[in-house]
Structures are given as structure tokens and as C-alpha cells.
């Protein structure tokens, strides 16, 4: 088998979690495929990693355009023949300032689910043959602490802020469990990682509880390289299992 290959979605910004994750995997010897909404964004970040001495390439992958996923899968198949790691990192946060579920707009709900749930689900399905062609592939879905508002809603009734985003990420965690079960007879492990509060927008200022992208990326890389007897269908926060 040739060099291990990892594909990371949402890797279009130098300060973003996607690029930090790609770098963390590249440092472990992976050839990394960075994807973003435009070829230019993805290739700019891939070029930066190559300048650091890593093996990297970049190309366009918009999670809102599921009809393009078969072409993405064919490109990876033609160039590499397999895929060892898929990190579903790309996300949208359309309702940051929405205070309750009753205030959510239909557009925001549809946007959040299209990118944060349908996109990762459909991409995993499209890349399934490549994941199963690898000796021991890993899928990592990037969750969010926002979904904990829903997880504990019965115990702590109240308003759910950013309801579309929060519910989409809550659903993504359940998708992780469902995909893990579907892959149970293969060597593909599927897990979710909640990176916590990450300082991915330094231009907006840093909160005290924010961690550098490199720290959060290390937790994601760990889930992306679990051993054969590692967990599947689990949710992690700060490197520890919470679900």
C-alpha cells in the first residue's frame, strides 16, 4: 500500500481548524488533501504545507454540492486508489445570533443541515469504496459544544441559542453512531470530536477559554489514527470520551 492519504474538508483558511488538522496529519507522514469551496483557497493552503516540507494537495469540495461528490471520489481513486482518513470538518454557522428555535429561519435551518449533516453523510457514502480499500480507515466528524444544549435539554430546560447549528451538530453526533454501526463489519472506525472553543478567528479577538487550533487538531489527529481495536461511534471532548 502506498503512502497513507487523508482528506480534510473546510481547509480554506490559514488560521482554521481544517488546515491545523491537515498539518497535524501531515506531520505524521500522511499525504493530505485539503479541500475548500474554491480551488484557489484549497491550493493556497496546500502550497503552504508543501513549503513546510509536507506532502499536500488542494482542490475544491463544496459540501453543499452533493452532486459533485462522485467526481471527488473518482479523483481520489484515480490519484491514490484508497483513502485512510476522512475528516468532516467543514461547517456553516448561519444563525449565530438567533436566540430560540421559534426565531430560526427556514433558510438557516436548511443551510445548517445541508452542510453540517447531509454533506458529511453523502461524502462518506461517496468515499466508502476508498475507505474500505484502505487497511484501516478512520472517519472523524467535527462536532460542537453547542449541541450539548440539546443533549441536556430535558435536565436543563431553556432556550437553545443558534438552534439550527446546534441541532445540526447534535444530529451529526447521531449520524456518527449510525455510520459506525453501518461500518461494523469493516475496518473503518467512525467517531466525533468536539474540539471545544478554538481560536480560529484571531481577528475577532481571543477568549480566555479558547485553545490554539494546533491543540484541537491534535485531538482530531488522535481520533484519525486510532488503532484497530479503537472505539467507533464515540464522541470525544478534550481528548476524553463523553459519549
Amino acid at each position: 500500500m502506498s503512502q497513507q492519504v487523508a482528506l480534510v474538508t473546510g481547509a480554506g483558511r490559514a488560521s482554521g481548524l481544517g488546515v491545523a488538522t491537515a498539518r497535524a496529519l501531515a506531520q505524521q507522514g500522511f499525504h493530505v488533501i485539503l479541500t475548500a469551496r474554491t480551488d484557489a483557497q484549497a491550493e493556497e493552503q496546500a502550497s503552504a504545507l508543501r513549503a513546510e516540507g509536507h506532502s499536500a494537495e488542494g482542490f475544491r469540495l463544496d459540501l453543499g454540492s452533493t452532486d459533485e461528490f462522485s467526481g471527488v471520489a473518482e479523483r481520489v481513486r484515480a490519484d491514490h486508489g484508497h483513502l485512510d482518513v476522512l475528516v468532516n470538518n467543514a461547517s456553516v454557522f448561519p444563525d449565530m445570533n438567533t436566540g430560540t428555535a421559534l426565531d430560526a429561519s427556514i433558510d438557516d435551518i436548511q443551510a445548517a443541515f445541508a452542510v453540517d449533516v447531509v454533506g458529511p453523510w453523502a461524502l462518506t457514502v461517496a468515499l466508502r469504496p476508498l475507505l474500505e480499500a484502505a487497511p484501516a480507515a478512520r472517519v472523524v466528524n467535527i462536532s460542537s459544544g453547542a449541541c450539548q444544549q440539546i443533549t441536556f435539554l430535558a435536565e436543563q430546560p431553556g432556550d437553545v441559542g443558534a438552534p439550527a447549528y446546534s441541532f445540526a451538530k447534535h444530529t451529526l453526533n447521531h449520524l456518527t453512531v449510525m455510520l459506525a454501526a453501518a461500518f461494523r463489519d469493516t475496518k473503518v472506525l467512525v467517531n466525533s470530536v468536539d474540539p471545544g472553543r478554538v481560536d480560529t478567528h484571531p481577528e475577532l479577538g481571543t477568549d480566555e477559554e479558547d485553545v490554539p487550533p494546533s491543540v484541537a487538531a491534535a485531538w482530531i489527529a488522535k481520533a484519525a489514527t486510532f488503532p484497530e481495536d479503537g472505539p467507533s461511534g464515540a464522541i470525544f471532548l478534550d481528548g476524553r470520551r463523553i459519549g
Side-chain angles (χ1 to χ4, degrees):
M1 183 69 68
S2 57
Q3 183 178 15
Q4 287 187 299
V5 180
L7 188 152
V8 182
T9 67
R13 294 189 307 108
S15 62
L17 185 57
V19 172
T21 298
R23 178 177 288 107
L25 291 169
Q27 289 170 344
Q28 296 188 39
F30 283 84
H31 171 79
V32 291
I33 303 170
L34 295 86
T35 71
R37 289 183 179 178
T38 70
D39 283 307
Q41 288 175 311
E43 180 53 30
E44 179 182 4
Q45 303 311 323
S47 178
L49 289 187
R50 290 196 298 270
E52 297 173 14
H54 301 305
S55 178
E57 65 180 298
F59 58 76
R60 179 184 182 277
L61 195 169
D62 184 347
L63 283 200
S65 301
T66 56
D67 58 336
E68 299 177 6
F69 289 180
S70 60
V72 169
E74 175 55 28
R75 179 170 180 172
V76 177
R77 187 206 63 77
D79 291 347
H80 305 288
H82 69 285
L83 184 64
D84 300 276
V85 171
L86 169 61
V87 179
N88 286 311
N89 168 70
S91 181
V92 294
F93 198 164
D95 60 339
M96 182 182 299
N97 299 314
T98 302
T100 78
L102 295 177
D103 297 319
S105 75
I106 296 301
D107 287 346
D108 286 348
I109 295 169
Q110 292 177 332
F113 272 79
V115 176
D116 296 348
V117 179
V118 177
W121 188 348
L123 183 61
T124 302
V125 171
L127 295 173
R128 173 188 175 184
L130 296 168
L131 293 165
E132 293 182 340
R138 307 290 178 256
V139 178
V140 184
N141 295 324
I142 306 306
S143 184
S144 169
C147 71
Q148 298 302 315
Q149 300 177 90
I150 298 168
T151 302
F152 299 109
L153 198 56
E155 301 172 17
Q156 302 172 2
D159 292 332
V160 174
Y165 173 80
S166 300
F167 193 48
K169 288 296 187 179
H170 178 77
T171 305
L172 180 65
N173 283 345
H174 288 280
L175 174 63
T176 294
V177 176
M178 187 167 67
L179 289 174
F183 277 118
R184 66 188 177 280
D185 294 326
T186 74
K187 293 187 177 181
V188 181
L189 304 182
V190 187
N191 292 289
S192 281
V193 173
D194 176 355
R197 293 181 61 96
V198 187
D199 183 21
T200 56
H201 289 279
E203 72 280 5
L204 301 179
T206 302
D207 291 331
E208 198 172 290
E209 60 268 39
D210 289 355
V211 301
S214 59
V215 172
W219 299 327
I220 297 168
K222 180 179 179 181
T225 54
F226 277 144
E228 186 175 339
D229 61 351
S232 192
I235 304 166
F236 292 87
L237 170 65
D238 295 344
R240 59 187 174 84
R241 185 169 182 170
I242 61 170

